[in-house]
Amino acid sequence: MDVWRINLAEKSLQVEAVPSGWEKLGGRGLTARILLDEVRATCYPLGSENKLIFAPGLLSGHRLSSCDRLSVGSKSPLTGGIKEANAGGTTAIDLSRLGIKVLILENKISNGLWVLHLSMEGARFDSVDDLIGVGAYESTRLLLDRYGSRVSIALIGPSGELKLNSAGILNLDKDRVPSRIAARGGLGAVMGSKGLKAIVIDASGTTGPSLLYPEEFRQAKQILTNALLDHPQSMTYRDFGTAAMAQLCNRLGGLPTDGFSKGSTSQIEEISGEHMRELMLERGGESNPTHACMPGCVIRCSNIYGGKDGRPIVAPLEYETIGLLGTNLRIHDLDIVAQLNWEANDIGVDSIELGAALGVAAQAGILDLGDIDRVFELIDDVRKGTPLGRIIGNGATTTGNVFGVERVPSVKGQAMSAYDPRAIKGTGVTYATSPQGADHTAGLTIRAKVNQLDPKGQADLSRMAQINMAGYDTLGACIFAGFGFSTVPESIQQLLHAIYGWISEANILQQLGKQTLQMERKFNTLAGFTKAQDRLPDWMTKEALPPTESVFDVAEEDLDSVFNW
């Protein structure tokens, strides 16, 4: 495996050996290491000095269930700090098949819009000015026509071209749909600033990454697969996807409702995972409640949400989108939320950040909650890049700053996901202290068997969740792979030995997680972050959340202790 370093200004490729300090890192850990090694933490995120890094995880490329995820890293234009956003799909698999341990994009192209094409022959650049302003779905169709139906693609939509801070990077799923988005932190804006519309990866003619001990790998893979299939949570997510969280969050009083002013809705049955599954089964056609975003995944927690005619509206429809573009905006119709999700994907924006920004805009009187037509109008403004669209497209914090709204649900400039921290306080600690900004995937605690309203012990809970998730992100493992790894943790050691020949300690997951978090925090410190940034917005410590009437009251000394291990 090699480092592929692209100088965009020169349109050149340099293939390098992997430095010794990078060898035992992948995914999120490797993006953190490279940013700390090579990027000045105070640089302008959309300038030439910033870098955009694509790193498959340590286990990626071997069709191991739930372990082919891609990490994209950069300095974030949204938070001003370090950022990693990850996604499933096929990008990590095909980068690994080409022998690419990490792809580093440096500098920027000064004119036009381009495709970076990677193959066994190296790298080339093709002008695609005809795709300027074209949505992600149509762009994908045209790129597949040009480059062949079996390539992998990472691309941006119009929001990335406009350099909006909510822009993500879309990746193709196994059905060649641009549905797997590295959404958070504005990394699509970084890609747009570098003059790239898409990266096309053609791995034809390759045999894939090698295994040092194939039989040991086969045995470890079977152990993990069995553990995944035997875990009851795997079956829950297979049947209901992430939308299974809707009922649980509603019961806990942590479902963002009416602009984060309530934690539950009486209309939960209309947007629940159970109802969504019933709709898709009833409608038939191409609707599918059980779908794999990555080849070889046995959990299959994704879905293809079809309309009344059975034709796809969007794939997938996830809980976080249902919360932020649904109940948060007083919308309880899954068909409408799915259509909003399609629009967000086509523009290439993070649906979490978009929904939170629209909720803030409602407080400013820009729209009325529940006004579906107005929501579509504002999203079209984002697509067109109107002044109002740019404000909303730059995220919840920008929207609040422009319109003078205090009640902005964000940390370090990034919007909270669909778990209100006043009711799910361990996740609130993660929102506050994660180097990534408010991000549930950095350490979700909702399934811990604790009193979620008790502020005591939540920092300890978040600490372990953050360490484990940083480890999984470095391995390239989906959060749901944790169902299997938690049952057979020794399989991580076995897999790393089978692939690389490494002798690892039993706590290798935690070692990777701690190392990654330490590097990320060091980068943010160099960027000017202090413990003052490790706090939830003040209004959440004072405004009680119905129906629990809870505020976020985890002690500041507990927040400051999270990374003391």
Side-chain angles (χ1 to χ4, degrees), residues 398-490:
T398 293
T399 304
N401 288 341
V402 170
F403 293 112
V405 176
E406 178 188 2
R407 294 181 70 264
V408 178
S410 65
V411 179
K412 299 180 179 74
Q414 180 166 270
M416 297 175 186
S417 188
Y419 308 86
D420 195 299
R422 291 167 288 180
I424 307 166
K425 294 183 181 179
T427 299
V429 176
T430 299
Y431 286 164
T433 62
S434 169
Q436 301 289 329
D439 191 338
H440 69 287
T441 68
L444 186 61
T445 64
I446 190 171
R447 291 200 175 275
K449 300 185 188 312
V450 299
N451 179 356
Q452 300 283 354
L453 297 176
D454 185 352
K456 295 178 181 178
Q458 301 293 347
D460 294 336
L461 188 64
S462 171
R463 178 188 303 113
M464 186 49 62
Q466 290 195 58
I467 290 169
N468 286 342
M469 279 313 306
Y472 286 134
D473 290 341
T474 299
L475 292 173
C478 167
I479 185 173
F480 299 144
F483 301 147
F485 285 130
S486 64
T487 305
V488 287
E490 67 278 4

XYZ file of all heavy atoms in Angstrom, residues 398-490:
676
model
N -24.154 30.082 11.522
C -24.183 31.274 10.672
C -25.583 31.865 10.608
O -25.760 33.090 10.708
C -23.698 30.931 9.250
O -22.318 30.587 9.294
C -23.885 32.109 8.301
N -26.583 31.018 10.445
C -27.972 31.498 10.388
C -28.336 32.229 11.669
O -28.945 33.308 11.645
C -28.928 30.318 10.146
O -28.543 29.632 8.946
C -30.361 30.797 10.002
N -27.940 31.661 12.817
C -28.222 32.330 14.082
C -27.488 33.642 14.220
O -28.035 34.644 14.694
N -26.225 33.675 13.796
C -25.445 34.911 13.892
C -26.029 36.019 13.024
O -26.108 37.176 13.440
C -23.999 34.644 13.488
C -23.237 33.834 14.524
O -23.636 33.758 15.679
N -22.137 33.218 14.113
N -26.425 35.669 11.803
C -26.946 36.684 10.880
C -28.266 37.255 11.383
O -28.494 38.469 11.326
C -27.111 36.089 9.469
C -27.881 37.051 8.568
C -25.755 35.760 8.860
N -29.127 36.399 11.915
C -30.469 36.857 12.306
C -30.612 37.113 13.805
O -31.710 37.392 14.289
C -31.514 35.837 11.843
C -31.639 35.750 10.356
C -31.246 34.615 9.667
C -32.124 36.833 9.621
C -31.348 34.537 8.289
C -32.222 36.761 8.231
C -31.832 35.619 7.565
N -29.515 37.031 14.547
C -29.567 37.372 15.960
C -30.366 36.406 16.806
O -31.055 36.812 17.748
N -30.269 35.117 16.493
C -31.003 34.093 17.240
C -30.058 33.445 18.249
O -28.987 32.946 17.884
C -31.573 33.023 16.282
C -32.247 31.908 17.073
C -32.559 33.654 15.311
N -30.470 33.432 19.528
C -29.644 32.825 20.566
C -29.771 31.312 20.595
O -28.799 30.587 20.812
C -30.027 33.368 21.942
C -29.227 32.730 23.077
C -29.731 33.117 24.457
O -30.737 33.852 24.536
O -29.122 32.672 25.447
N -30.976 30.803 20.359
C -31.248 29.380 20.542
C -30.751 28.574 19.332
O -31.540 28.073 18.533
C -32.740 29.131 20.764
C -33.294 29.715 22.061
C -34.773 29.403 22.214
N -34.989 27.976 22.478
C -35.287 27.070 21.566
N -35.397 27.423 20.285
N -35.483 25.809 21.911
N -29.454 28.454 19.228
C -28.839 27.701 18.138
C -28.291 26.395 18.719
O -27.434 26.424 19.598
C -27.712 28.494 17.457
C -27.061 27.658 16.357
C -28.255 29.798 16.884
N -28.753 25.236 18.244
C -28.297 23.956 18.794
C -26.993 23.496 18.133
O -26.988 22.623 17.265
C -29.454 23.003 18.476
C -30.023 23.551 17.196
C -29.839 25.050 17.264
N -25.879 24.091 18.545
C -24.605 23.745 17.913
C -23.476 23.844 18.928
O -23.598 24.518 19.953
C -24.310 24.661 16.721
O -24.116 25.999 17.145
N -22.384 23.159 18.626
C -21.150 23.237 19.408
C -19.995 23.329 18.413
O -19.958 22.605 17.427
C -20.953 22.003 20.310
C -19.641 22.124 21.085
C -22.118 21.835 21.272
N -19.068 24.239 18.700
C -17.929 24.462 17.811
C -18.409 24.755 16.391
O -17.764 24.390 15.401
C -16.971 23.267 17.812
C -16.345 22.953 19.177
C -15.402 21.755 19.092
C -14.762 21.444 20.437
N -15.688 20.822 21.393
N -19.572 25.388 16.283
C -20.096 25.774 14.975
C -20.855 24.703 14.240
O -21.391 24.966 13.158
N -20.934 23.486 14.789
C -21.603 22.379 14.099
C -22.901 22.007 14.803
O -22.951 21.900 16.025
C -20.684 21.160 14.044
C -21.317 19.960 13.329
C -20.306 18.905 12.983
O -19.719 18.930 11.898
N -20.082 17.974 13.880
N -23.946 21.798 14.018
C -25.274 21.530 14.565
C -25.351 20.172 15.244
O -24.702 19.210 14.841
C -26.319 21.610 13.453
N -26.185 20.126 16.282
C -26.444 18.870 16.972
C -27.312 17.960 16.123
O -28.152 18.426 15.348
C -27.155 19.131 18.297
C -26.334 19.928 19.273
S -27.292 20.329 20.747
C -26.120 21.407 21.582
N -27.135 16.688 16.326
C -27.956 15.700 15.651
C -29.248 15.476 16.435
O -29.574 16.234 17.351
C -27.160 14.407 15.484
O -27.863 13.490 14.679
N -29.970 14.415 16.117
C -31.346 14.240 16.591
C -31.432 13.563 17.958
O -32.249 12.674 18.182
C -32.138 13.449 15.560
N -30.575 14.003 18.877
C -30.579 13.492 20.248
C -30.394 14.706 21.147
O -29.273 15.193 21.318
C -29.442 12.487 20.465
C -29.408 11.389 19.424
C -28.734 11.571 18.213
C -30.060 10.170 19.638
C -28.713 10.581 17.249
C -30.030 9.169 18.677
C -29.362 9.385 17.479
O -29.346 8.395 16.530
N -31.488 15.220 21.725
C -31.388 16.433 22.528
C -30.559 16.153 23.774
O -30.876 15.239 24.550
C -32.776 16.944 22.918
C -32.728 18.371 23.417
O -32.037 18.618 24.439
O -33.366 19.250 22.811
N -29.491 16.905 24.001
C -28.568 16.593 25.094
C -29.132 16.863 26.483
O -28.552 16.416 27.474
C -27.378 17.504 24.798
C -27.951 18.654 24.048
C -29.036 18.053 23.201
N -30.231 17.572 26.569
C -30.831 17.784 27.888
C -31.512 16.525 28.396
O -31.676 16.349 29.608
C -31.829 18.943 27.814
C -31.177 20.299 27.603
C -32.164 21.370 27.214
N -32.639 21.188 25.835
C -33.512 21.996 25.237
N -34.025 23.025 25.907
N -33.867 21.782 23.985
N -31.888 15.639 27.486
C -32.539 14.383 27.869
C -31.609 13.190 27.756
O -31.854 12.155 28.383
C -33.779 14.150 27.000
N -30.558 13.303 26.953
C -29.593 12.216 26.759
C -28.220 12.817 27.055
O -27.475 13.224 26.161
C -29.699 11.651 25.326
C -31.140 11.275 25.013
C -28.789 10.425 25.150
C -31.422 11.024 23.554
N -27.891 12.883 28.342
C -26.812 13.761 28.789
C -25.428 13.236 28.469
O -24.495 14.024 28.291
C -26.985 14.048 30.286
C -28.255 14.859 30.548
C -28.455 15.245 31.991
C -29.762 16.036 32.134
N -30.031 16.433 33.524
N -25.267 11.923 28.376
C -23.965 11.406 27.969
C -23.614 11.843 26.562
O -22.466 12.228 26.274
N -24.597 11.819 25.670
C -24.374 12.313 24.311
C -24.144 13.814 24.326
O -23.377 14.347 23.506
C -25.562 11.930 23.415
O -25.672 10.497 23.382
C -25.393 12.447 21.999
N -24.770 14.512 25.273
C -24.500 15.939 25.437
C -23.051 16.202 25.786
O -22.441 17.166 25.298
N -22.462 15.341 26.620
C -21.040 15.475 26.937
C -20.202 15.275 25.676
O -19.228 15.998 25.430
C -20.629 14.468 28.033
C -19.119 14.535 28.283
C -21.390 14.730 29.323
N -20.590 14.290 24.859
C -19.887 14.075 23.590
C -20.005 15.294 22.698
O -19.004 15.758 22.123
C -20.451 12.840 22.871
O -20.263 11.686 23.688
C -19.770 12.621 21.532
N -21.222 15.830 22.552
C -21.392 17.044 21.757
C -20.438 18.136 22.229
O -19.809 18.826 21.427
C -22.815 17.580 21.900
C -23.914 16.841 21.192
C -25.248 17.079 21.546
C -23.669 15.939 20.171
C -26.295 16.432 20.899
C -24.706 15.289 19.531
C -26.025 15.540 19.903
O -27.063 14.907 19.268
N -20.366 18.313 23.553
C -19.594 19.419 24.109
C -18.094 19.241 23.916
O -17.389 20.192 23.573
C -19.909 19.569 25.599
N -17.607 18.024 24.125
C -16.163 17.838 24.247
C -15.481 17.223 23.040
O -14.255 17.309 22.917
C -15.855 16.963 25.475
O -16.452 15.665 25.306
C -16.391 17.614 26.742
N -16.228 16.587 22.140
C -15.587 15.965 20.986
C -14.812 16.987 20.170
O -15.308 18.087 19.919
C -16.630 15.289 20.094
O -16.052 14.901 18.856
N -13.608 16.665 19.727
C -12.880 17.569 18.841
C -13.622 17.830 17.537
O -13.328 18.807 16.840
C -11.562 16.823 18.572
C -11.442 15.821 19.670
C -12.838 15.445 20.043
N -14.598 16.968 17.211
C -15.314 17.060 15.942
C -16.463 18.067 15.965
O -17.080 18.320 14.938
C -15.882 15.683 15.574
C -14.851 14.593 15.431
C -13.997 14.763 14.194
O -14.441 15.284 13.177
N -12.754 14.332 14.277
N -16.804 18.640 17.120
C -18.025 19.426 17.226
C -19.194 18.519 17.568
O -19.025 17.319 17.812
N -20.401 19.075 17.623
C -21.580 18.304 18.022
C -21.848 17.202 16.991
O -22.323 17.475 15.902
C -22.791 19.222 18.147
N -21.528 15.973 17.350
C -21.614 14.869 16.395
C -21.947 13.593 17.147
O -21.124 13.101 17.929
C -20.285 14.726 15.650
C -20.371 13.780 14.460
O -21.281 12.926 14.435
O -19.519 13.893 13.557
N -23.129 13.047 16.920
C -23.534 11.834 17.646
C -22.643 10.650 17.314
O -22.431 9.779 18.143
C -25.000 11.497 17.328
C -25.241 11.039 15.922
N -25.195 11.890 14.844
C -25.511 9.810 15.422
C -25.433 11.210 13.736
N -25.633 9.949 14.050
N -22.104 10.602 16.087
C -21.275 9.453 15.712
C -19.925 9.466 16.428
O -19.183 8.491 16.362
C -21.040 9.395 14.189
O -20.221 10.488 13.776
C -22.363 9.420 13.434
N -19.598 10.559 17.110
C -18.349 10.622 17.857
C -18.458 9.924 19.211
O -17.441 9.709 19.875
C -17.927 12.078 18.066
N -19.662 9.556 19.629
C -19.812 8.882 20.918
C -21.247 8.924 21.411
O -21.578 9.634 22.365
N -22.108 8.143 20.793
C -23.524 8.096 21.154
C -23.708 7.202 22.375
O -23.192 6.087 22.422
C -24.348 7.578 19.968
C -25.869 7.585 20.094
C -26.392 8.999 20.301
C -26.501 6.985 18.838
N -24.485 7.666 23.349
C -24.632 6.930 24.617
C -26.066 6.494 24.881
O -26.372 6.032 25.979
C -24.176 7.812 25.792
O -25.041 8.961 25.887
C -22.743 8.290 25.596
N -26.937 6.610 23.912
C -28.355 6.431 24.161
C -28.718 5.019 24.609
O -29.694 4.823 25.339
C -29.180 6.835 22.908
C -30.674 6.889 23.244
C -28.909 5.902 21.735
C -31.524 7.475 22.146
N -27.957 4.021 24.226
C -28.309 2.642 24.583
C -27.649 2.175 25.882
O -27.845 1.034 26.289
C -27.976 1.687 23.434
C -28.887 1.903 22.222
C -28.920 0.706 21.300
N -29.879 0.890 20.232
C -31.178 0.619 20.320
N -31.671 0.164 21.464
N -31.978 0.803 19.291
N -26.903 3.054 26.521
C -26.312 2.687 27.812
C -27.424 2.495 28.847
O -28.404 3.255 28.885
C -25.348 3.767 28.270
N -27.270 1.503 29.693
C -28.288 1.195 30.697
C -28.048 2.053 31.940
O -27.607 1.567 32.994
C -28.270 -0.291 31.022
C -28.557 -1.169 29.812
C -28.647 -2.643 30.169
C -28.745 -3.528 28.935
N -29.726 -3.102 27.972
N -28.329 3.354 31.774
C -28.161 4.323 32.856
C -29.382 5.234 32.868
O -30.196 5.227 31.935
C -26.894 5.179 32.649
C -25.645 4.311 32.632
C -26.980 6.011 31.363
N -29.498 6.020 33.911
C -30.504 7.075 33.946
C -29.989 8.225 33.091
O -29.068 8.941 33.497
C -30.746 7.524 35.380
C -31.769 8.652 35.477
O -32.261 9.157 34.467
N -32.083 9.069 36.699
N -30.563 8.389 31.930
C -30.056 9.379 30.978
C -30.195 10.809 31.491
O -29.523 11.716 30.991
C -30.796 9.240 29.637
C -30.651 7.883 28.970
C -29.316 7.691 28.285
O -28.510 8.611 28.193
N -29.062 6.481 27.801
N -31.052 11.031 32.491
C -31.285 12.381 33.015
C -30.377 12.735 34.175
O -30.321 13.892 34.587
C -32.749 12.525 33.449
C -33.799 12.376 32.346
C -35.201 12.432 32.939
C -33.632 13.464 31.290
N -29.677 11.756 34.715
C -28.792 11.993 35.846
C -27.458 12.525 35.337
O -26.768 11.846 34.568
C -28.578 10.686 36.612
C -27.754 10.879 37.887
O -27.229 11.989 38.102
O -27.639 9.909 38.655
N -27.045 13.718 35.757
C -25.782 14.272 35.228
C -24.545 13.525 35.707
O -23.497 13.608 35.066
C -25.788 15.712 35.748
C -26.660 15.687 36.963
C -27.720 14.663 36.674
N -24.650 12.783 36.787
C -23.486 12.102 37.337
C -23.121 10.884 36.491
O -23.979 10.132 36.059
C -23.764 11.675 38.778
C -23.973 12.848 39.724
C -24.282 12.378 41.133
C -24.505 13.563 42.073
N -24.861 13.113 43.448
N -21.832 10.701 36.283
C -21.339 9.549 35.541
C -21.391 9.689 34.033
O -20.886 8.825 33.310
N -21.978 10.780 33.519
C -22.145 10.928 32.070
C -20.809 11.216 31.379
O -20.602 10.820 30.233
C -23.158 12.030 31.756
C -24.543 11.802 32.337
C -25.270 10.632 31.715
O -24.856 10.100 30.678
N -26.377 10.209 32.327
N -19.904 11.895 32.069
C -18.590 12.152 31.466
C -17.818 10.853 31.275
O -17.169 10.650 30.242
C -17.796 13.127 32.339
N -17.900 9.952 32.266
C -17.236 8.650 32.126
C -17.837 7.862 30.976
O -17.122 7.203 30.213
C -17.374 7.851 33.423
C -16.632 8.488 34.582
O -15.677 9.255 34.324
O -17.010 8.242 35.735
N -19.157 7.926 30.855
C -19.856 7.208 29.791
C -19.441 7.740 28.423
O -19.129 6.975 27.501
C -21.363 7.360 29.991
C -22.305 6.549 29.116
C -22.125 5.064 29.363
C -23.755 6.955 29.414
N -19.415 9.050 28.293
C -19.024 9.665 27.024
C -17.574 9.365 26.690
O -17.231 9.098 25.530
C -19.238 11.183 27.080
O -18.690 11.820 25.944
N -16.702 9.392 27.703
C -15.284 9.134 27.463
C -15.084 7.790 26.770
O -14.389 7.700 25.754
C -14.503 9.163 28.780
C -13.012 8.851 28.613
C -12.304 8.683 29.954
N -12.452 9.861 30.772
C -13.139 9.902 31.909
N -13.753 8.801 32.347
N -13.235 11.009 32.604
N -15.698 6.751 27.326
C -15.503 5.425 26.750
C -16.127 5.339 25.357
O -15.555 4.727 24.444
C -16.100 4.359 27.671
C -15.811 2.927 27.215
S -14.051 2.614 26.830
C -13.307 2.913 28.437
N -17.297 5.973 25.177
C -17.935 5.960 23.860
C -17.064 6.674 22.833
O -16.917 6.210 21.692
C -19.315 6.608 23.929
N -16.473 7.804 23.209
C -15.630 8.547 22.273
C -14.366 7.767 21.924
O -13.935 7.748 20.765
C -15.262 9.908 22.860
C -16.426 10.887 22.953
C -15.955 12.306 23.185
O -15.186 12.848 22.399
N -16.413 12.917 24.261
N -13.764 7.127 22.911
C -12.558 6.337 22.656
C -12.870 5.197 21.697
O -12.154 4.965 20.709
C -11.977 5.798 23.978
C -11.388 6.941 24.808
C -10.912 4.735 23.714
C -11.024 6.545 26.230
N -13.938 4.467 21.983
C -14.290 3.327 21.135
C -14.633 3.770 19.716
O -14.200 3.144 18.731
C -15.464 2.563 21.733
C -15.062 1.736 22.943
O -13.890 1.451 23.153
N -16.027 1.358 23.754
N -15.392 4.866 19.581
C -15.781 5.301 18.236
C -14.590 5.796 17.438
O -14.492 5.549 16.231
C -16.858 6.381 18.305
C -18.260 5.839 18.523
S -18.685 4.436 17.446
C -18.326 5.095 15.830
N -13.665 6.492 18.083
C -12.453 6.914 17.365
C -11.658 5.691 16.921
O -11.050 5.686 15.838
C -11.602 7.821 18.249
N -11.683 4.634 17.730
C -11.031 3.390 17.332
C -11.708 2.734 16.152
O -11.059 2.297 15.192
N -13.045 2.630 16.208
C -13.779 2.033 15.091
C -13.579 2.836 13.810
O -13.416 2.260 12.722
C -15.277 1.943 15.416
C -15.629 0.862 16.407
C -16.496 1.126 17.467
C -15.108 -0.417 16.290
C -16.825 0.133 18.386
C -15.435 -1.407 17.208
C -16.297 -1.127 18.252
O -16.609 -2.103 19.154
N -13.591 4.175 13.920
C -13.390 5.007 12.732
C -11.994 4.810 12.145
O -11.797 4.934 10.936
C -13.585 6.489 13.077
C -15.031 6.851 13.375
O -15.932 6.087 12.973
O -15.261 7.891 14.033
N -11.025 4.497 12.978
C -9.669 4.243 12.499
C -9.580 2.874 11.821
O -8.859 2.701 10.834
C -8.676 4.355 13.663
O -8.736 5.695 14.190
C -7.255 4.061 13.226
N -10.350 1.922 12.324
C -10.423 0.609 11.678
C -11.218 0.642 10.379
O -11.086 -0.261 9.552
C -11.068 -0.408 12.623
C -10.287 -0.805 13.878
C -11.160 -1.686 14.770
C -8.998 -1.515 13.519
N -12.061 1.656 10.194
C -12.964 1.692 9.043
C -14.236 0.922 9.295
O -14.913 0.494 8.364
N -14.577 0.747 10.584
C -15.739 -0.059 10.960
C -16.954 0.830 11.217
O -16.855 1.856 11.895
C -15.427 -0.878 12.203
N -18.089 0.411 10.696
C -19.366 1.055 10.982
C -19.659 0.943 12.475
O -19.247 -0.014 13.141
C -20.452 0.363 10.162
S -22.146 0.770 10.646
N -20.389 1.910 13.012
C -20.752 1.869 14.429
C -21.469 0.568 14.776
O -21.323 0.030 15.875
C -21.631 3.099 14.799
C -21.909 3.133 16.301
C -22.923 3.110 13.990
C -22.611 4.406 16.733
N -22.221 0.012 13.809
C -22.968 -1.216 14.093
C -22.084 -2.455 14.057
O -22.477 -3.514 14.549
C -24.142 -1.359 13.130
C -25.131 -0.227 13.237
C -25.781 0.262 12.112
C -25.407 0.361 14.457
C -26.682 1.312 12.204
C -26.306 1.420 14.564
C -26.942 1.898 13.436
N -20.887 -2.333 13.481
C -19.935 -3.437 13.592
C -19.573 -3.679 15.045
O -19.148 -4.776 15.427
C -18.683 -3.148 12.776
N -19.757 -2.636 15.868
C -19.472 -2.761 17.285
C -20.311 -3.819 17.970
O -19.908 -4.357 19.021
N -21.496 -4.130 17.415
C -22.294 -5.208 17.989
C -21.506 -6.517 17.978
O -21.540 -7.284 18.939
C -23.598 -5.406 17.204
C -24.491 -4.195 17.159
C -25.286 -3.943 16.038
C -24.552 -3.306 18.211
C -26.120 -2.841 15.989
C -25.381 -2.192 18.170
C -26.171 -1.959 17.053
N -20.818 -6.757 16.880
C -20.026 -7.975 16.783
C -18.720 -7.886 17.549
O -18.365 -8.792 18.307
N -18.003 -6.768 17.378
C -16.694 -6.644 18.022
C -16.814 -6.635 19.545
O -15.911 -7.096 20.242
C -15.988 -5.374 17.544
C -15.424 -5.482 16.158
C -15.679 -4.502 15.209
C -14.614 -6.552 15.810
C -15.145 -4.584 13.929
C -14.075 -6.651 14.534
C -14.344 -5.661 13.598
N -17.917 -6.092 20.071
C -18.080 -6.092 21.522
C -18.278 -7.505 22.058
O -17.941 -7.797 23.209
C -19.268 -5.213 21.923
O -20.487 -5.750 21.415
N -18.823 -8.380 21.218
C -19.033 -9.772 21.612
C -17.758 -10.587 21.471
O -17.460 -11.440 22.322
C -20.149 -10.394 20.754
O -21.330 -9.587 20.848
C -20.472 -11.803 21.216
N -17.018 -10.336 20.397
C -15.771 -11.073 20.149
C -14.642 -10.067 19.924
O -14.110 -9.939 18.811
C -15.910 -12.039 18.951
C -16.765 -13.245 19.329
C -16.532 -11.330 17.729
N -14.236 -9.334 20.968
C -13.214 -8.291 20.783
C -11.883 -8.828 20.290
O -11.129 -8.104 19.631
C -13.084 -7.682 22.195
C -13.617 -8.719 23.125
C -14.697 -9.430 22.364
N -11.619 -10.105 20.560
C -10.355 -10.679 20.108
C -10.271 -10.758 18.586
O -9.176 -10.897 18.014
C -10.171 -12.083 20.701
C -11.148 -13.144 20.218
C -12.501 -13.129 20.928
O -12.727 -12.224 21.772
O -13.323 -14.022 20.656
